[in-house]
Amino acid sequence: MSINNYLHLLDEMAVFVRVVETGSFSETAKEIGTTPSAVSRKISRLEKALSARLLHRTTRKLRLSESGEAMFNHCQNMVTAAKSAMSISDLHKDEPEGIIRVSVPKAVGRFVLHPHMAEFLARYPKIDLQVVLEDKYVDLIEDRVDLVIRITDRPSPGLMGKELMKIDHIICASPQYLQKHGMPTHPRDLANHSCIYLGETPADTRWKFKRGTESVQVDIHGRYAANHTVVRLDAALNHIGIASLPYFTARTALQQGKCIQVLPEWDFISSYYGSAWLLYSPTRYLPLKLKVFIDYLVERMRQEPELKARKQN
């Protein structure tokens, strides 16, 4: 196929990508300002040029054919490349604008990211922000997000990024619980307490601690486990037991005296470890809207008065 034969299909390829992404001819038509029948004709022209059916259509949904899946990957790469090319124009804009989609683990989003977003939106009135709170692995391309925040000690080598904060972990309990059951003075004392733990794997009941060169592992037990930090914090506040938590989750409760850090002279070694990294696809020309968001978030994390638990010796 000569260059003239496929250049006139670039628009059809871009429309095909949006049809797959929206799952709807009518929604795509609404986005680009045309009619569903016009969108359908574009897809038909692309299928005719390729001599292959790309979409299986039913009255309720669209499904990619085998050829359609392969074509979608190529066309999506084309659209991504076009966006990168167009982002060069951001260099000449006086003010950043557009939509930013950022994926972030639920607890980090609620306690770390969200408190700073009102100021960001006020500072940049032409930027819209969509925060996707999701604990599962999110792929930048497949899930169509601009930025991801991941908790890791080994950021993906294929991505660019900024380290935002270390994730420090503690164990804590309410004053009422500790008054009734006593304050542990050594990690081994936890075996006699009700502990609130993650509960996703058997290893979650083996708590590890380190102090200098001394390491201790304790088999804990308790009547309550939850794989969400907010739930474990609430359980601690309701005097159920001693909870394992990221420090940023418990910080406010600790400052207000609603929770007390247990064994503060010991480092609690959690399986949920590493740093919060802000990651994005490598590119020579980062869109201005993403650049100001990244710079803003790094700046705010550096200004945070407390992101780590205070250790006692």
Side-chain angles (χ1 to χ4, degrees):
M1 183 180 287
S2 70
I3 187 170
N4 289 331
N5 286 336
Y6 68 74
L7 277 179
H8 77 281
L9 291 172
L10 293 179
D11 183 52
E12 279 75 5
M13 294 177 187
V15 170
F16 170 61
V17 169
R18 286 308 294 151
V19 167
V20 175
E21 291 177 340
T22 63
S24 166
F25 280 28
S26 58
E27 185 64 30
T28 300
K30 189 185 302 182
E31 285 187 4
I32 64 177
T34 187
T35 64
S37 59
V39 171
S40 179
R41 287 194 294 272
K42 287 180 180 292
I43 301 302
S44 295
R45 280 197 293 272
L46 186 58
E47 289 179 325
K48 183 177 180 180
L50 296 169
S51 299
R53 178 172 291 278
L54 302 177
L55 293 168
H56 295 299
R57 306 167 177 85
T58 67
T59 56
R60 292 190 176 183
K61 65 179 181 178
L62 303 173
R63 182 170 59 84
L64 282 169
S65 67
E66 184 177 350
S67 297
E69 289 184 4
M71 188 63 181
F72 174 69
N73 290 331
H74 289 299
C75 291
Q76 191 178 46
N77 289 337
M78 178 199 74
V79 171
T80 299
K83 287 180 179 178
S84 296
M86 292 302 294
S87 70
I88 297 174
S89 64
D90 282 342
L91 299 174
H92 308 290
K93 289 182 179 178
D94 295 327
E95 189 175 4
E97 60 181 74
I99 299 175
I100 298 175
R101 279 174 50 86
V102 54
S103 172
V104 57
K106 292 176 181 177
V108 176
R110 169 62 183 86
F111 289 95
V112 178
L113 182 71
H114 171 68
H116 301 295
M117 292 303 95
E119 181 184 339
F120 176 80
L121 293 171
R123 187 182 296 188
Y124 300 104
K126 292 186 179 181
I127 293 180
D128 295 335
L129 189 62
Q130 184 175 359
V131 178
V132 182
L133 298 169
E134 184 61 75
D135 286 333
K136 72 177 183 180
Y137 178 87
V138 171
D139 183 89
L140 281 159
I141 302 300
E142 291 184 4
D143 295 294
R144 301 190 298 279
V145 295
D146 301 298
L147 303 161
V148 295
I149 295 178
R150 291 183 186 152
I151 308 302
T152 180
D153 62 339
R154 295 181 181 178
S156 302
L159 299 177
M160 299 179 70
K162 300 279 188 178
E163 185 179 16
L164 297 178
M165 58 182 282
K166 298 287 186 183
I167 301 297
D168 204 17
H169 286 78
I170 64 168
I171 57 174
C172 61
S174 69
Q176 293 90 332
Y177 174 88
L178 294 172
Q179 184 177 12
K180 182 177 180 179
H181 299 280
M183 171 69 81
T185 59
H186 191 278
R188 295 189 186 91
D189 296 340
L190 294 170
N192 300 316
H193 282 267
S194 174
C195 295
I196 306 164
Y197 55 98
L198 188 65
E200 291 184 332
T201 70
D204 293 331
T205 59
R206 295 190 291 271
W207 285 3
K208 298 177 182 179
F209 298 84
K210 186 174 181 180
R211 182 178 61 181
T213 59
E214 184 180 4
S215 297
V216 178
Q217 178 174 295
V218 183
D219 291 327
I220 58 94
H221 63 87
R223 298 178 57 203
Y224 200 59
N227 65 347
H228 198 285
T229 57
V230 176
V231 174
R232 295 201 302 280
L233 172 61
D234 189 65
L237 294 175
N238 281 281
H239 329 306
I240 292 176
I242 300 174
S244 64
L245 293 168
Y247 175 70
F248 65 78
T249 304
R251 178 175 56 180
T252 299
L254 291 166
Q255 292 170 344
Q256 295 173 347
K258 296 179 180 178
C259 258
I260 297 175
Q261 185 177 355
V262 175
L263 300 173
E265 69 277 12
W266 290 81
D267 288 312
F268 177 58
I269 312 301
S270 172
S271 58
Y272 182 68
Y273 66 96
S275 297
W277 283 82
L278 183 61
L279 301 172
Y280 49 95
S281 297
T283 175
R284 289 185 61 189
Y285 300 104
L286 190 67
L288 185 58
K289 62 182 181 180
L290 300 187
K291 183 180 184 303
V292 297
F293 182 81
I294 292 167
D295 290 346
Y296 171 81
L297 206 53
V298 170
E299 169 198 333
R300 293 306 297 149
M301 292 302 100
R302 286 175 180 168
Q303 293 175 358
E304 281 281 358
E306 287 186 282
L307 285 176
K308 292 179 67 64
R310 294 175 177 174
K311 301 300 180 187
Q312 298 181 8
N313 297 317

